[in-house]
Amino acid sequence: MDNYTSGFNLVGTPFIPSTTRNRFMVIGCNTMGIIGGYLHSNPDLYVAGCYSYCQGINSTSNGAPCTGKGCCETTITPNLTDFAALLIINQSSVWTFNPCFYAMLAEVGWYSFRQQDLVGHLGFINKRAKRGVPVISDWAIRNGSCPKDGATALMGYACVSSNSYCVGATNGPGYMCNCSEGYEGNPYLPRGCQDIDECKLHKQNSKYTELYPCRNGVCRNIPGGYVCKCGIGKKSDGKNSGCRPVLTQAEQVVIGLSVSSVVVIALACLLAMKFQRRKHRKEKDEYFKQNGGLKLYDEMRSRQVDTFHILTEKEVKKATENYSNDRVLGCGGHGMSSPY
């Protein structure tokens, strides 16, 4: 046939062909493929297409990109809900080896050109596309929109989970619902978005170590997230992804040397005080001996009576009120002289 048209209609459905994940493609020689249709809720007609050419099957190569030799492709517009493909064919010079031509809306990357697709009656359909070709559609709730900030959601609002939020559709009218950060699940169900236990995932699988980092700290799960608790001597890196020492290595070395010096000095002082006390005790013993202490002690033992009583220094201080002058009884046979 000189031309043939086929298409389908998505009006009234939540689906619109994705503009980024689909391409309109044409397979054949000396063939122009056109895609045309109407945009969602818009009376303007959309038309786009591409031209595929080749003089013989040997002028094409397997795996070549669809840039015009044996096949071609082009992008589609957003909001396209009612569309059809049209083939304009010049068969006269290629009919002997290329009797059939194809136009399709297909997923990006799905099709790779093969010379066999040009050969035989419905060769491409029978060998590579018996069930058709894959198409990626964008889904959204088309009969509504996200409520404005502070406004009450209308009846039938779909984002019913308490931990969800609304985003506008990127292709066509409407909106979609997503779980809030730190939650996962189905935002279209009550309590459908559940808290992600980042700490549990961190322990279960190493791939979450980078996704939920907590280096040198202790992970604590909280609703909608987690915190990385730091121990003594460490502080947060400011990103809640790990802990680092409060002091640098150089500072730690300086403080360690300082503490060591203080300890050494303190030990030296304690040792010096111990020697000083031992020396003082020895001097007191010598003084006791030099002033008749031993003789007095022997005298006390020989009499076996309580005639003598030796007072300690503490008792003498108490009796004299810390050696007060008011407690002096005399200084020789005539008493103590006065300067007045």
Side-chain angles (χ1 to χ4, degrees):
M1 300 174 62
D2 289 337
N3 58 67
Y4 179 72
T5 303
S6 179
F8 57 95
N9 190 316
L10 295 175
V11 175
T13 75
F15 304 106
I16 293 178
S18 171
T19 58
T20 58
R21 302 183 63 183
N22 297 306
R23 292 291 184 270
F24 176 67
M25 311 190 75
V26 174
I27 305 172
C29 291
N30 301 341
T31 304
M32 176 176 287
I34 296 176
I35 183 172
Y38 293 96
L39 306 183
H40 193 284
S41 303
N42 191 327
D44 294 337
L45 180 66
Y46 162 79
V47 176
C50 65
Y51 184 75
S52 174
Y53 61 92
C54 52
Q55 297 301 318
I57 194 168
N58 292 330
S59 65
T60 63
S61 57
N62 291 330
C66 289
T67 55
K69 276 196 174 184
C71 65
C72 66
E73 65 178 49
T74 187
T75 59
I76 62 172
T77 187
N79 305 334
L80 193 61
T81 57
D82 183 3
F83 56 96
L86 173 66
L87 288 174
I88 301 175
I89 304 166
N90 180 4
Q91 300 183 99
S92 57
S93 61
V94 298
W95 174 257
T96 55
F97 70 91
N98 180 208
C100 294
F101 313 89
Y102 313 92
M104 59 186 177
L105 187 62
E107 179 184 4
V108 173
W110 176 82
Y111 179 72
S112 176
F113 177 76
R114 293 288 182 271
Q115 290 179 332
Q116 64 184 21
D117 297 338
L118 302 176
V119 180
H121 179 70
L122 297 179
F124 169 70
I125 297 294
N126 294 330
K127 294 181 180 180
R128 301 185 65 183
K130 288 184 177 181
R131 299 181 58 191
V133 299
V135 179
I136 304 297
S137 293
D138 290 333
W139 177 91
I141 298 171
R142 302 297 177 185
N143 58 343
S145 60
C146 293
K148 296 182 179 180
D149 293 340
T152 303
L154 299 176
M155 184 71 69
Y157 181 60
C159 303
V160 295
S161 177
S162 57
N163 297 304
S164 66
Y165 64 96
C166 178
V167 292
T170 57
N171 186 7
Y175 67 95
M176 296 175 291
C177 304
N178 290 333
C179 287
S180 303
E181 185 177 1
Y183 294 85
E184 64 181 357
N186 190 339
Y188 302 98
L189 297 176
R191 298 185 299 277
C193 294
Q194 298 294 318
D195 177 52
I196 299 173
D197 191 336
E198 294 87 354
C199 300
K200 184 177 180 180
L201 293 175
H202 185 97
K203 294 178 180 179
Q204 288 179 343
N205 197 318
S206 58
K207 72 178 182 180
Y208 294 106
T209 302
E210 293 299 324
L211 186 60
Y212 307 121
C214 184
R215 304 176 187 90
N216 304 316
V218 179
C219 185
R220 292 285 184 268
N221 185 62
I222 60 174
Y226 73 101
V227 294
C228 190
K229 300 287 289 185
C230 299
I232 298 175
K234 296 180 181 180
K235 63 179 180 179
S236 174
D237 59 1
K239 302 177 182 178
N240 190 37
S241 60
C243 302
R244 56 188 177 88
V246 174
L247 302 175
T248 63
Q249 187 174 5
E251 292 172 333
Q252 291 177 0
V253 171
V254 171
I255 292 176
L257 292 175
S258 301
V259 171
S260 300
S261 301
V262 171
V263 171
V264 171
I265 294 172
L267 291 174
C269 291
L270 290 174
L271 188 60
M273 291 173 60
K274 185 176 181 179
F275 284 129
Q276 189 68 23
R277 287 177 182 174
R278 184 179 296 177
K279 180 181 179 183
H280 182 63
R281 191 183 307 115
K282 186 175 182 181
E283 289 176 348
K284 287 175 66 177
D285 292 342
E286 292 293 332
Y287 186 77
F288 183 75
K289 294 177 181 179
Q290 292 174 5
N291 290 275
L294 292 177
K295 185 177 181 181
L296 178 62
Y297 184 69
D298 290 339
E299 184 72 18
M300 291 171 59
R301 292 184 61 186
S302 65
R303 296 193 179 191
Q304 296 294 321
V305 293
D306 294 334
T307 307
F308 300 95
H309 181 68
I310 299 177
L311 300 176
T312 64
E313 182 180 4
K314 184 177 180 181
E315 291 172 328
V316 172
K317 283 186 176 183
K318 183 178 180 181
T320 61
E321 295 183 359
N322 199 20
Y323 307 116
S324 173
N325 289 332
D326 294 338
R327 294 292 183 178
V328 176
L329 298 178
C331 292
H334 302 286
M336 186 175 182
S337 62
S338 174
Y340 299 105

